[in-house]
Amino acid sequence: MSEAYDRTRLVELFGDDPETLAEVEREFLDTARGAEHEIEATDDLATIARAAHRLKGASGMIGAAALGEIAEAVERAAKAHDLLSVRRMRDVFRREVQRVATQAGLMAG
């Protein structure tokens, strides 16, 4: 399986300081888990679309392509007023957030 995100991209953007990279990874994971919680906690499709859009942008920044694609699919479904599709993507969304956490060595959450 491919990497959940492109750590070399982080090095290019933030340098090779392990503490800085760990902080960026923690902040990204906080964003991802926050979006996950926000999406699961509401049926408001506008709120879901905004949270997914935020995560899509953050995923693009760190090279988390698969998570970005999932976030984009959630955003599209929300904008199409398709809550059932949003809910169907819940497990794949969770798994991908967990994959990012595992790669970053940040399992708790």
Side-chain angles (χ1 to χ4, degrees), residues 4-5 28-29 62 64 67 96-105:
Y5 65 97
F28 174 76
L29 231 359
I62 72 160
L67 186 55
E96 196 57 31
V97 170
Q98 188 57 46
R99 238 171 47 88
V100 171
T102 299
Q103 182 179 331

Side-chain angles (χ1 to χ4, degrees), residues 35 39 45 48-53 55 67-82 85-90 92-93:
I39 288 166
L45 292 163
I48 291 169
R50 281 191 303 273
H53 183 79
L55 181 57
L67 186 55
E69 289 171 10
I70 295 164
E72 182 176 14
V74 169
E75 180 184 14
R76 273 196 318 268
K79 287 181 175 179
H81 305 285
D82 187 356
S85 289
V86 169
R87 296 297 178 233
R88 285 183 180 152
M89 289 183 258
R90 182 179 310 168
V92 70
F93 188 93

